[in-house]
């Protein structure tokens, strides 16, 4: 790092102004503008950090190094990235002024925070705030009021932008306090706690987002009369539909033949076992430095071949 940046005089310290932080916050709204499968939001992250990097590092070599370290993998909820931006800005500011903040520390904080925050963003914004505002706007629109969509647009963006700015500033102030206690291990404790919480959140999402179904038939048994819905004996019209639904609710089979697949047996043994094993296998491949693109293509090929041969 150049002598220009490593200065001890507090009066000459490089400081990010409110205008600088506001510029980062505004650019962060384009976080997913260059989303990619390998490093996901890293391009949008670097784009948002450019104003701060230019302010903090006058030398071209230092700017290049800073941009390079922020091209690492990053992915979280686009709005919940704001507090991560704030903490990162504080760390970069301290580093630019000579504090012992290395690349591993900065990347560790980003990775440690992005996991748990990603799990918070979806239920808060996508499943709570937006449906509530959408219902309000739709109710006005259905009554013929043109303010319905306008109100939804204004309220959503006011809440979204207000949250981004407030949490970025909160993260910036908190990040400054964390860097004051680097020697006391506070940063390591925060990162470790966030990483543990993030692993719990990601583990809970495995069952929801990873789906594998084995199609091979293990057994096929013909059911006795009365154990299945006899469609030929049902009355026509809505009465027949009603009787079929009642029978289904009472546990009757839809067909005379009960087919048990390999997936049915696996679900009875340990539900979600295969998706969990697949997730662990992908994690193992990533630790072996296998490219995420190769893993994704491999999963596509396995899925297509497995379907063609009747396995999946």
């Amino acid at each position: 790092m150049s002598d220009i940046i490593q200065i001890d005089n507090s009066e000459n310290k490089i400081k990010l102004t409110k205008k600088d932080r506001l510029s980062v916050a505004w650019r962060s709204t384009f976080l997913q503008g260059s989303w990619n499968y390998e490093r996901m939001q890293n391009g949008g992250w670097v784009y948002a950090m450019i104003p701060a990097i230019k302010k903090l590092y006058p030398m071209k070599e230092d700017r290049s190094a800073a941009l390079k370290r922020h091209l690492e993998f990053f992915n979280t909820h686009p709005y919940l990235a704001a507090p991560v931006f704030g903490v990162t800005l504080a760390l970069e500011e301290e580093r630019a002024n000579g504090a012992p903040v290395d690349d591993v520390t900065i990347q560790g904080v980003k990775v440690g925070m992005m996991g748990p925050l990603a799990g918070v963003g979806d239920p808060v914004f996508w499943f709570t705030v937006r449906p509530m505002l959408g219902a309000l706007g739709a109710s006005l629109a259905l009554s013929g009021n043109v303010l319905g969509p306008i109100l939804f647009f204004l309220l959503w963006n006011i809440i979204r932008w207000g949250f981004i700015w407030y949490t970025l500033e909160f993260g910036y102030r908190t990040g400054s306090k964390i860097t004051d206690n680097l020697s006391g291990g506070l940063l390591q404790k925060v990162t470790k706690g966030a990483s543990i919480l993030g692993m719990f959140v990601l583990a809970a999402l495995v069952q929801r987002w990873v789906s594998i179904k084995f199609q091979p038939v293990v057994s096929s048994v013909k059911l006795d009369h009365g154990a299945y819905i006899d469609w030929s004996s049902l009355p026509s019209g809505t009465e027949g539909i009603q009787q079929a639904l009642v029978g289904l609710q009472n546990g009757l089979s839809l067909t005379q033949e009960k087919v048990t697949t390999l997936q049915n047996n696996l679900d009875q043994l340990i539900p979600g076992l295969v998706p969990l094993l697949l997730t662990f296998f992908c994690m193992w491949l990533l630790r072996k430095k296998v490219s995420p693109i190769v893993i994704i293509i491999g999963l596509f090929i396995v899925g297509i071949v497995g379907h063609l041969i009747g396995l999946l």
Side-chain angles (χ1 to χ4, degrees):
M1 189 174 290
S2 63
D3 295 335
I4 298 178
I5 297 178
Q6 293 179 345
I7 48 181
D8 296 325
N9 190 341
S10 60
E11 295 181 356
N12 296 325
K13 279 189 174 183
I14 304 174
K15 191 75 174 176
L16 291 174
T17 63
K18 187 175 182 179
K19 181 180 178 181
D20 298 326
R21 301 194 299 273
L22 187 62
S23 179
V24 172
W26 167 247
R27 283 172 169 246
S28 72
T29 59
F30 305 100
L31 183 64
Q32 307 212 96
S34 61
W35 195 94
N36 60 90
Y37 280 105
E38 185 171 3
R39 299 190 180 183
M40 298 194 174
Q41 296 171 337
N42 68 325
W45 177 278
V46 171
Y47 173 74
M49 289 290 295
I50 286 176
I53 297 299
K54 286 183 176 180
K55 177 69 174 291
L56 294 173
Y57 301 103
M59 303 297 293
K60 183 178 178 180
E61 312 84 65
D62 297 325
R63 289 180 179 178
S64 299
L67 293 175
K68 184 177 180 179
R69 65 173 165 267
H70 286 297
L71 281 173
E72 295 296 327
F73 174 87
F74 184 83
N75 187 51
T76 190
H77 190 280
Y79 304 160
L80 270 295
V84 189
F85 272 112
V87 173
T88 304
L89 288 176
L91 293 174
E92 288 286 0
E93 184 179 273
E94 294 294 328
R95 175 175 177 142
N97 288 292
V101 181
D102 56 13
D103 293 358
V104 176
T105 299
I106 295 175
Q107 185 63 15
V109 169
K110 289 168 57 180
V111 173
M113 294 181 67
M114 72 182 186
L117 291 177
V120 172
D122 285 347
V124 171
F125 283 98
W126 300 154
F127 305 147
T128 303
V129 178
R130 189 165 64 174
M132 290 174 58
L133 296 179
L136 175 62
S139 64
L140 293 175
L142 288 173
S143 64
N145 194 331
V146 72
L147 290 178
I150 297 176
L151 187 64
F152 171 78
F153 178 81
L154 291 177
L155 289 178
W156 172 254
N157 283 284
I158 290 173
I159 293 173
R160 176 185 66 87
W161 178 247
F163 177 84
I164 290 175
W165 174 242
Y166 175 81
T167 54
L168 187 144
E169 286 290 279
F170 177 79
Y172 176 75
R173 294 192 300 269
T174 305
S176 300
K177 295 176 183 178
I178 289 177
T179 55
D180 291 340
N181 201 335
L182 281 173
S183 59
L186 178 59
L187 181 60
Q188 289 78 4
K189 293 178 182 178
V190 171
T191 304
K192 182 178 179 180
S195 300
I196 294 173
L197 180 59
M199 285 189 289
F200 274 107
V201 173
L202 293 177
L205 293 176
V206 170
Q207 175 65 19
R208 178 178 178 182
W209 296 112
V210 183
S211 177
I212 303 176
K213 292 184 178 180
F214 292 101
Q215 301 299 331
V217 177
V218 176
S219 64
S220 179
V221 179
K222 286 190 175 181
L223 300 176
D224 296 330
H225 185 75
Y228 61 92
I229 300 175
D230 188 358
W231 296 97
S232 61
S233 64
L234 292 177
S236 60
T238 58
E239 184 180 354
I241 297 176
Q242 183 180 6
Q243 289 186 17
L245 293 176
V246 171
L248 183 63
Q249 187 177 7
N250 292 331
L252 298 183
S253 175
L254 291 173
T255 60
Q256 185 178 359
E257 192 174 18
K258 181 181 180 182
V259 178
T260 302
T261 63
L262 176 59
Q263 187 62 46
N264 297 138
N265 288 343
L266 290 174
D267 290 340
Q268 292 177 0
L269 180 64
I270 303 179
L273 175 62
V274 179
L276 180 63
L277 293 177
L278 177 62
T279 303
F280 283 147
F281 178 66
C282 292
M283 292 171 60
W284 179 78
L285 291 177
L286 290 173
R287 292 187 63 181
K288 293 295 182 180
K289 307 299 182 182
V290 179
S291 172
I293 299 297
V294 174
I295 297 175
I296 293 171
I297 295 175
L299 291 175
F300 270 114
I301 294 175
V302 171
I304 294 173
V305 173
H307 179 72
L308 292 177
I309 64 177
L311 179 63
L312 300 175

